[in-house]
């Protein structure tokens, strides 16, 4: 094998072999275990959230596959209605065309062509990450099988009265001219104004002052509301005001929704353009007056002067007219949450329009019950409260979208506007005896989340009762982020219960968001996005800057991001490989918490992979072609051999417990600590004694231990770091005599309690503590690591005396001991550095070991340097200008520096006192 670890030489090589040989497919034997991949958008590319989530799923899948389960990881992509249509429309723009130039049918054909050539980016990237999904079963939410399932569900729900068409308020994107879901609306704080407008009382006895952040919507006002207990306005309830500029009279109503402390305590009610007002309007049976066109211009329901104006142009004219008429009061600066479409960037309007809806309350009741009964378990459990809160207050679901790409709603209208729902036009004509009557299909398509809600059973062949459906439904676990508990998780539960009669999954593992090293959410506008493939393959500084600033419209922002990137990555990003990235994600995957990702962690786990590689090379050198013994051969296992075998059993049990409880951070910790701290740092070093000086039976046992422990460890770590473990296992398995083509299909290690050796663990714990004590003293006294030391021992038990004899070869070599002498009971010890192991006192006489004066000079220099650093940090933290202006994380970092400097200073001063006493 290669001397140096190079992930690029092994990762794609092994993935191609795995996929070509069909290792990702279910075995057909064992208990079913199934995970449905949350279908990424066909327009998308792998981002850090995907990579984190897919690492967790792949670790689970590989673990259960090795456990012998009949394992399926179902892949697929989502057609992403709005996003995909936008991509293809932009391509058409470059040709000087619009979708209307092509017409619906040709435009859909263009999207399918784009999908075939460019829509599989993310699936290629999943392969690069090592995702062991069953690609032979890959699905697409617009393929024929899933489209059939969508039609079946729609028709059945309509026939049961659970789907209806009606007029309600929806989130409306005036650029895309379609309703959008809450998930596609991003609300962030922006600077705006609060306009105070005088509404004259109809009896001309005065006026009410209404505060609003959207003056243009006042032309759609149908009432002014006050709190029923507000003493300022109780006498006006039931009276009327004149709506400025429109000269319409509207009532003054009382409603507890009004906050008397906000603004003036008077609220304009515009039910067709505000969700809260819509509910007030329903309670008071108020008219719903829509004043906008689909592109957010004012329509014919407003005075002629404002018709056809864009909403923001209308705002300027309305404010100016109010001021002219003396009806505009004060105008205040005001920070408000502005909803914008995540695709178009346009400000979203609450808009009253005819849409298709699902009645969700009847479906929600069952979905709540199954979680309360424990048929579905949330991990962490606290997320069940979020799930309950949404379902208990659920509104009807708007499922129609005014775009062309998607599942077209299976409804047809005749010339009188009557609607007929069915599986096809032919079926509708036959069922309703319509003959040759002119029919026109509904133009709208279904919300993308509608087809996604069917994902756990539609991908398995439903509505046909396929063997896969019978085997793998309900699925085992859903791995997802908390942000789509409402939009996807709850809807899958509702649809699964409705159409399959059972839950879609047994458990829901909710993971956190991946944030940058400072805890900030990764976003293009912040310039802190990391592409997981850039971490795997590396990227130059210039290409990274180009990627981070590409498409930014604001030159100043682009310059800021460029400067930030140059400072953070002066040499670009080196190649770390997929295994190092996966191990980083696993190590950071604490349940439910957001994770802070910094390159220091992935650098550390790249070093871990390198450590594993070098350890394996050492083992192969000492075992390949050597006598490893057999069942009938004499084996003389040393306490060191028994110790590492015992520690392996504990690592196996800890890893299993962690994975079973979705504590991937603990699994990664168990794997890391065993390899680095026990197998490499101790066992490989200690094994050199028996390999070099032991008898044949002892050497044979140590070689057998070296290779067997390594082979088992590779299987243990495989679910998290699959590529390097496969490459090394191919060599280890041949040496150890283990049969099999791939580590993927090897049995996952199982703990053997009989191999846990408490005595060996106690013995080696003593040996390690003895050696570490000597190393610590060397470090504290600035003694050369290789300088042999005379050791004096005092007190101690019979066990200590025996251990010194038994472990003398190890102590002499790894403690760098010149000699050991036990002090007599009445013998006074010399001035020495001391370490304790229980009753045993280890003494290293200082006289003659160090140059006292030279060491005191060195310590004094260090003490003075630390004092200067301490003074500088103390002055900075005492400066109000710094503490008031600096970011919190910078202040915390400086405070940590202060504590570390104080601690180091105390340590050096104590060391100086010890040297002076010699």
């Amino acid at each position: 094998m290669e001397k140096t670890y190079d992930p690029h030489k092994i990762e794609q090589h092994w993935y191609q072999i795995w996929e070509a040989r069909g290792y990702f497919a279910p075995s057909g034997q064992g208990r079913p275990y199934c995970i449905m991949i949350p279908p990424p958008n066909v327009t998308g590319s792998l981002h850090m959230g995907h990579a984190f989530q897919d690492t967790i799923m792949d670790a689970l899948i590989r673990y259960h596959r090795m456990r012998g389960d009949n394992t399926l990881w179902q892949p697929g992509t989502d057609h992403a209605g709005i996003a995909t249509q936008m991509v293809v429309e932009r391509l058409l723009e470059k040709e000087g065309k619009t979708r209307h130039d092509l017409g619906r049918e040709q435009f859909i054909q263009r999207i399918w062509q784009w999908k075939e050539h460019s829509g599989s980016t993310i699936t290629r990237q999943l392969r690069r990450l090592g995702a062991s999904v069953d690609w032979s079963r890959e699905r697409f939410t617009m393929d024929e099988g899933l489209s059939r399932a969508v039609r079946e569900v729609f028709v059945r729900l309509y026939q049961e009265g659970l789907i209806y068409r009606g007029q309600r308020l929806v989130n409306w994107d005036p650029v895309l001219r379609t309703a959008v879901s809450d998930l596609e609306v991003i609300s962030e704080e922006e600077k705006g104004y609060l306009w105070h407008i005088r509404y004259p009382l109809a009896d001309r006895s005065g006026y009410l002052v209404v505060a609003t952040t959207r003056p243009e919507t006042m032309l759609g006002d149908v009432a002014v509301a006050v709190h029923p207990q507000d003493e300022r306005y109780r006498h006006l309830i039931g009276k009327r005001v004149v709506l400025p500029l429109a000269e319409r009279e509207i009532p003054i109503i009382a409603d507890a929704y009004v906050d008397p402390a906000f603004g003036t305590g008077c609220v304009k009610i515009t039910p067709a353009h505000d969700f809260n007002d819509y509910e007030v309007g329903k309670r008071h049976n108020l008219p719903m007056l829509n004043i906008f066109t689909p592109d957010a211009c004012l329509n014919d329901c407003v005075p002629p002067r404002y018709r056809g104006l864009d909403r923001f142009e209308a705002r300027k004219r309305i404010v100016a007219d109010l001021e002219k008429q003396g009806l505009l009061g004060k105008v205040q600066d005001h920070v408000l949450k502005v909803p914008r479409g995540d695709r178009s960037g346009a400000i979203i309007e609450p808009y009253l329009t005819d849409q298709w809806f699902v009645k969700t309350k009847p479906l929600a009741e069952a979905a709540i019950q199954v979680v309360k009964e424990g048929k579905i378990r949330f991990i962490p459990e606290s997320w069940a409260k979020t799930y309950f809160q949404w379902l208990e207050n659920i509104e009807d679901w708007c499922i129609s979208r005014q775009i062309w790409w998607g599942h077209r709603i299976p409804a047809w209208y005749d010339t009188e506007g009557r609607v007929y729902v069915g599986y096809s036009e032919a079926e509708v004509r036959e069922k309703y005896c319509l003959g040759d009557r002119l029919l026109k299909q509904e133009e709208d398509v279904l919300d993308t989340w509608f087809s996604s809600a069917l994902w756990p059973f539609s991908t398995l062949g439903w509505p046909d009762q396929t063997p896969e459906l019978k085997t793998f439904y309900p699925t085992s676990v859903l791995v997802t982020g908390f942000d789509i508990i409402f939009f996807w998780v709850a809807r899958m539960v509702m649809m699964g219960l409705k159409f399959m009669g059972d839950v879609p999954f047994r458990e829901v593992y909710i993971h956190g968001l991946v944030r940058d090293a400072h805890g900030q959410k990764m976003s293009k506008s912040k310039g802190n996005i990391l592409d997981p493939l850039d971490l795997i393959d590396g990227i130059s500084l210039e290409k990274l800057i180009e990627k981070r600033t590409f498409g930014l419209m604001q030159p100043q922002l682009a310059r800021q991001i460029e400067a930030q990137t140059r400072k953070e990555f002066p040499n670009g990003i080196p190649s770390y490989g997929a295994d190092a990235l996966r191990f980083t994600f696993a190590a950071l995957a604490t349940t439910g918490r957001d994770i802070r990702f910094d390159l220091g962690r992935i650098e550390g786990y790249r070093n871990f992979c390198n450590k594993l590689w070098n350890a394996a090379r050492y083992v192969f050198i000492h075992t390949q072609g050597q006598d490893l013994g057999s069942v009938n051969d004499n084996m003389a296992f040393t306490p060191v051999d028994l110790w590492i075998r015992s520690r392996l059993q504990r690592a196996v049990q800890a890893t299993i417990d962690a994975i079973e409880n979705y504590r991937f951070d603990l699994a990664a910790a168990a794997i890391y600590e065993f390899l680095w701290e026990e197998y490499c740092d101790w066992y490989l070093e200690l094994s050199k004694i028996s390999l070099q000086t032991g008898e044949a039976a002892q050497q044979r046992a140590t070689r057998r231990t070296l290779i067997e422990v390594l082979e088992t460890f590779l299987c243990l770590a495989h679910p998290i770091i699959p590529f390097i473990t496969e490459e090394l296992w191919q060599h280890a398995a041949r040496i150890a005599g283990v049969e099999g083509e791939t580590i993927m299909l090897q049995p996952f290690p199982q703990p053997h309690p009989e191999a846990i050796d408490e005595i060996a663990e106690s013995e080696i714990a003593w040996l390690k503590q003895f050696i570490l004590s000597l190393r610590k003293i060397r470090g504290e006294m600035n003694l050369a690591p290789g300088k042999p030391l005379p050791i004096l021992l005092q007190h101690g038990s019979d066990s200590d005396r025996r251990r010194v004899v038994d472990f003398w070869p190890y102590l002499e070599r790894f403690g760098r001991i010149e000699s050991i002498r036990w002090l007599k009971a009445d013998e006074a010890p010399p001035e020495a550095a001391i370490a304790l192991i229980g009753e045993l006192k280890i003494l290293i006489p200082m006289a003659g070991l160090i140059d006292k004066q030279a060491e005191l000079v060195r310590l004094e220099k260090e003490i003075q340097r630390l004092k200067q650093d301490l003074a500088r940090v103390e002055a900075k933290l005492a400066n109000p200008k710094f503490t008031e202006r600096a970011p919190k994380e910078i202040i915390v970092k400086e405070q940590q520096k202060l504590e570390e400097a104080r601690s180091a200073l105390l340590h050096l001063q104590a060391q100086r006192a010890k040297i002076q006493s010699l």
Side-chain angles (χ1 to χ4, degrees), residues 30 35 80 168 175 218 237 254 268 294 309 315-316 368 383 405 489 547 582 674 703 754 793 820 833 880:
I35 297 178
R168 292 172 65 95
V175 171
M218 66 178 292
I237 295 170
K268 58 191 285 302
L309 291 178
R315 175 182 293 182
K316 294 176 185 176
I368 291 170
W383 286 113
W405 174 241
V489 179
K547 179 178 282 192
R582 289 170 60 108
F674 175 80
R703 290 192 198 104
E754 70 278 5
L793 300 178
I820 282 185

Side-chain angles (χ1 to χ4, degrees), residues 37-47 50 75-88 91 108 110-126 135 138-143 343 403 405-407 448 451-452 455:
I37 197 168
N41 287 353
V42 69
T43 58
S45 61
L46 199 68
H47 58 62
H50 285 132
T77 48
D78 190 278
H79 65 279
I82 293 174
T84 305
Q85 180 159 316
M86 285 183 68
V87 167
V88 178
L91 294 174
I108 298 301
R110 280 293 291 267
I111 293 181
W112 279 108
Q113 290 169 9
W114 172 87
K115 192 259 180 187
E116 291 304 313
H117 290 97
S118 307
S120 57
T121 300
I122 204 162
T123 58
R124 291 195 298 271
Q125 294 172 328
L126 283 170
W135 292 111
E138 185 178 2
R139 305 303 298 269
F140 179 54
T141 50
M142 285 285 288
D143 69 30
R343 301 293 178 188
I403 56 175
W405 174 241
H407 295 101
T448 302
S451 50
S452 298
W455 190 249

Side-chain angles (χ1 to χ4, degrees), residues 826-844:
D826 57 350
E827 186 177 352
E831 186 63 40
I834 300 172
L836 293 173
I837 305 179
E839 297 177 0
L840 177 65
K841 185 180 287 187
I842 304 170
L843 303 97
I844 301 178

Side-chain angles (χ1 to χ4, degrees), residues 76 224 236 656 721:
V224 172
L236 296 176
I656 291 172
I721 45 175

Side-chain angles (χ1 to χ4, degrees), residues 780-781 850 852 855-864 867 904-918:
E780 289 176 348
M781 304 307 292
I850 62 172
K852 178 177 177 180
E855 182 63 10
L856 286 173
V857 169
R858 186 189 72 81
L859 286 171
E860 189 61 34
K861 284 182 180 178
E862 280 294 300
I863 288 169
Q864 293 307 317
K867 283 182 176 179
L905 183 60
L906 289 172
H907 176 75
L908 288 178
Q909 288 170 335
Q911 191 70 8
R912 181 178 61 184
K914 185 179 287 188
I915 298 296
Q916 284 173 333
S917 69
L918 292 177

